[in-house]
Amino acid sequence: MKFGLLGFPVKHSISPWIHEQFMKKTGIAGTYELFETRPESLEERIKSWRKEEIDGFNVTIPFKQDIVPFLDKVEEEAKQIGAVNTVVNQNGEWKGYNTDGRGYYRSLVGSFPDLVPELSSVLLIGAGGAARGIYHVLVREGFQRVDITNRTLEKASRLVREEDENKKTTVLSLKQAEGNLSNYDVVIQTTSVGMEPSTEEIPISLDNLKRGTIVSDIVYKPLTTRFLTEGKKRGGVIHQGHAMLLYQAQYAFEIWTGKEAPLDSVLQQLEYRLRGN
Ligand code: ATR
């Protein structure tokens, strides 16, 4: 079978390694290649794939929204989210899914099984493709409130307009979020800020963090971002991004092959690799 990752840049992605583990464990012969594609070449890439018969692919920055017009069908959840990270070729028809939100949520409850959504308020930092999936799932799971802060306020407002029927969300500027930080039980960082090579960057100051707050970052390179280090210093309980990466990949693999890949030690091995061992 032939799989791949569409995005820019993707050169350093660890997804091929993850999918190779899944293929090995399920006895599927195949390849997972990186298809680094500049935005101006997206259409050309899609056309050549249509001829080559790819079985499925993942979509990452900056194409999670741009891919939609090229698909024949989009699954309901991905439609509501407005972003696609997984595409499957079903007898020549391409169908889009979103496994980011599901993957993130599983990683969160995996680490914090006692978290009670109805009693927990969340601050989401960012309003891009990844934030869309996570926001959708958090609202669906019934969190007490899910506020959003983003550098570009209009982007956060647009996301809320499309999603929040329950009026559980306030949009805050980055400064307002910093000031109100002690109101939250969970703070989730979904932007690319702090990712290698800009590891000194942090999207908001965590000075006002309440002790015991869950501080979560979806960036997994580095495994412990500056955001998490600062969170820990202020009494936060940290949650790293690699488990989301693994679970969204596992859901994608299941969509492509109909097989659930056993994870066994893959999470630990992934952590080991990301530590640079
Ligand atoms: P992804 O699919 O990974 O979510 P994206 O859709 O390009 O990527 O979204 C990137 C997110 O990171 C956005 O919330 C973006 O903020 P803007 O909406 O203001 O662009 C945020 N982001 C990226 N670089 C940033 C920076 N230097 N400071 C603050 N936010 C940043």
Side-chain angles (χ1 to χ4, degrees), residues 61 64-65 126-131 150-152 155 174 190-193 201:
I61 298 176
K64 285 182 185 176
Q65 284 161 279
N150 193 42
R151 179 179 60 179
T152 311
K155 220 158 122 188
L174 297 174
T190 74
T191 78
S192 47
V193 176
E201 289 178 11

Side-chain angles (χ1 to χ4, degrees), residues 15 58 85-86 99-100 103 243-252:
S15 291
N58 288 127
N85 79 323
T86 301
T99 68
D100 281 337
M244 171 188 177
L245 174 74
L246 184 65
Y247 297 144
Q248 66 74 29
Q250 194 192 27
Y251 288 130

